[in-house]
Amino acid sequence: MNKFKLLLLASLLFNTAWASDELSMLVDNCTGCHGKEGNSLGPAIPIIASMNPNTFVKAMQEFKNGERPATVMKYLAKAYTNAEFKQMADYFANQKFIPNEQIVELDRVARGKVVYGKYCQMCHLKNVYTGKGSTIIEGQWMDYLRLNLSDFYTGIRDMPRPIQLQVQMLVKAEGEDSIEDIIHYLGSVYNQ
Amino acid sequence: MSNFNRRHFIKVAASVTAVGIAGCTTLPKLKAEKRVVVIGGGAGGATAAKYIRKNDPTIEVTLIEAHKYHYTCFMSNEVIGGERSIQSIKFSYDKLAGYGINIVHDLAIEIEPISKKVTTRNGDVFYYDRLVVAPGIDFKWNEVEGYDPQIASIKIPHAWKAGSQTILLRKQLEAMQDGGTVIISVPRRPFRCHPGPYERASLIAHYLKTHKPASKVLILEPSKTFAQQKLFVQAWKRLYGFGTKNSLIDWLPAAEGGKVSELDAKNMIIHSTSGEQHKADVINLIPPQQAGNIAVVSDLVNGSGWCPVHHQTFESMRYKDIHVIGDASIAKPMPKSGYSANSQAKVCAIAIVRALQGKEMLTPNFLNACYAVLGKDYAISVAAVYKLENNKITFKGAGGLSPMDASEEVRRRELLYAHSWYNNITQDIFE
Ligand SMILES: Cc1cc2nc3c(=O)[nH]c(=O)nc-3n(C[C@H](O)[C@H](O)[C@H](O)COP(=O)(O)OP(=O)(O)OC[C@H]3O[C@@H](n4cnc5c(N)ncnc54)[C@H](O)[C@@H]3O)c2cc1C
């Protein structure tokens, strides 16, 4: 598919999204916390615009079942069915990801870029439509990344086995502080 | 009609003519537009105006708001505690104007449900097909002897509408000597934001702890218990020595003199119904509340002082084509909160747009979330989704409170999330 067709498709999806009151009724309630079209203004509630729809549904199901640690989402997710998760997922997947400028330390960014490329990038591709990725983490709110990586690291949040191995390798080879370096790099990606 | 002055007359005449012309002209450009008027540009009204325009840009929307700027009550307790600036809770209507909303800064003083028009203090008249009334709250001044709007504006702030009241209370706290007592007098329920007084007590204690540690906050409680009491008490024990001799917070329920009957502003003394006298250096007296005045004088309230509405559309049960949203409405079990008002406004916007397009209304759902900030790196929350069942807003179990005994880390996260919520919801309301 060429670029033009993709754009056209995106705008069609976008328009139908706004045309349906049923859908608005579902997703507009999220705006107060996740921001306009899922683009949270931070500092910690995540941007969910452009989130991979499969990961989105998985996240909501895990919140609902109490499998993923959460403050409010474990309550809110209980209100919805799988079909509704899917509708929400498709809507947010089609919203443009709009990151914000964040305060970063440049030496950390430089170090983070290297280790991120080595240990993480292969899975966290920028293009979320490939179906492999998770949330877009390049440009995500740093506080949110910090909370989740800490939950992964301490085991509070279950981490798929391959990621776990990768993170363990990272910490062993580069030290625990390299996680903070990666966070600064991810936070800097869209700073211009 | 006493306020029927010449200026008023001309305005009425002018708008009648305008309607007349639009009505009989054959020019295609001047097709009869649907008109919605919104009274009140707070969490409910501003959201409604924006979403009606978003859902159908052919509808003409006029927002009548008394003030040039809106100061949100949410996060105003952080201003009172010295944690944030008053500028950071101040919002203008410039960005809403960008949606093509006609913004009028004036006070709506009369609604005529038969001829379907609203009159303002300046004498302007606005006709509507549908009206949204979102005036928030006003106070029942006669319930505490010795308290009135004049005293509130200079000496004994309620600070339950944000802005100059917030600043006044903050200045009084700054001026207070160490060793002083701050009274927060809680009104009887229902009132705007049930956890609000206790959040305020916490953030004042937080300020005193570092700046005036020999001082204390005394909460006067008109009943036996209060919202989220266990979570608050746990936080106060952890942060402010609650229950010990040196506690920065004391709490007196009705049985111990917490029910207020009279204010002696001159001597800074509060009298309780059971005869106790409480002397203080700063008094924050929050009076009992009802729906905003315009709803009361327009007969939109029932005996409770709040407005009964159909929960599917938020249309008034008393007058057709008038919708009441936010604090002024009766939406139990939803609390009177900013998130509730915002969520109700979106449902109401869909209901109005569909009605004007001749479509059936859908089954709505609603969401509420409230964060309370209790100190350094410490916040708690309540969040819930509500559904419509038998035409009533119903809580079906999808919701809950922050857990008791949570770690410091969890409380710290909720503070980060609370600030994120504030940034996002104010954008949703005012931008
Ligand atoms: C200390 C405190 C803390 C709070 N914290 C939270 C919180 O953390 N989270 C939360 O969700 N909620 C919180 N709330 C509650 C929240 O502020 C209210 O529930 C919310 O503002 C209600 O929205 P509303 O639109 O009904 O009224 P408001 O937001 O008060 O808006 C009403 C508007 O109408 C205007 N108006 C009134 N009458 C007229 C008239 N006749 N003509 C023209 N304009 C008029 C007013 O000027 C005002 O701008 C808090 C409240 C307080 C007091």
Side-chain angles (χ1 to χ4, degrees), chain B residues 39-45 64-67 70 73-74 76-77 93 106-108 134-136 160 192-193 199-200 294 325-328 336-339 341 369-371 421:
Chain B
I39 299 176
I64 305 175
E65 164 55 50
H67 300 103
H70 184 91
C73 281
F74 19 114
S76 69
N77 284 334
Y93 293 89
D106 201 348
L107 187 76
W160 222 242
R192 154 179 290 179
C193 191
E199 176 188 58
R200 177 170 294 173
I294 184 70
I325 55 173
D327 287 354
K336 294 190 187 301
S337 75
Y339 212 118
C370 290
Y371 287 97
W421 159 78

Side-chain angles (χ1 to χ4, degrees), chain A residues 93-107:
Chain A
N94 284 297
Q95 306 308 316
K96 193 169 174 259
F97 181 86
I98 305 174
N100 290 260
E101 199 162 321
Q102 303 188 62
I103 297 164
V104 292
E105 292 164 30
L106 291 177
D107 50 337

Side-chain angles (χ1 to χ4, degrees), chain B residues 54-84:
Chain B
K54 256 179 105 162
N55 296 357
D56 185 347
T58 70
I59 297 174
E60 189 185 303
V61 176
T62 301
L63 175 62
I64 305 175
E65 164 55 50
H67 300 103
K68 266 241 160 328
Y69 298 98
H70 184 91
Y71 293 86
T72 62
C73 281
F74 19 114
M75 292 297 169
S76 69
N77 284 334
E78 281 201 338
V79 178
I80 289 165
E83 296 290 298
R84 100 177 15 243

Side-chain angles (χ1 to χ4, degrees), chain B residues 121-172:
Chain B
R121 184 163 52 191
N122 286 342
D124 290 338
V125 172
F126 299 90
Y127 288 85
Y128 63 81
D129 294 297
R130 293 270 170 164
L131 175 66
V132 179
V133 180
I137 53 145
D138 268 302
F139 302 111
K140 295 183 164 176
W141 288 105
N142 52 3
E143 289 197 17
V144 178
E145 221 185 297
Y147 197 34
D148 59 41
Q150 168 66 13
I151 292 172
S153 70
I154 53 170
K155 192 164 185 197
I156 314 287
H158 52 74
W160 222 242
K161 291 183 183 185
S164 55
Q165 283 280 299
T166 315
I167 297 171
L168 179 60
L169 181 54
R170 174 67 199 156
K171 288 210 169 123
Q172 291 180 345

Side-chain angles (χ1 to χ4, degrees), chain A residues 11-23:
Chain A
S11 72
L12 276 175
L13 284 166
F14 180 81
N15 285 335
T16 40
W18 275 115
S20 148
D21 289 342
E22 284 83 354
L23 189 62

Side-chain angles (χ1 to χ4, degrees), chain A residues 64 72-80, chain B residues 333 383-387 389 393-401:
Chain A
K64 188 174 178 173
V72 291
M73 289 310 296
K74 63 174 186 258
Y75 297 129
L76 300 175
K78 282 199 188 129
Y80 309 102
Chain B
V385 176
Y386 300 85
K387 308 251 162 154
E389 224 172 63
I393 294 175
T394 311
F395 175 63
K396 303 276 288 171
L401 286 171

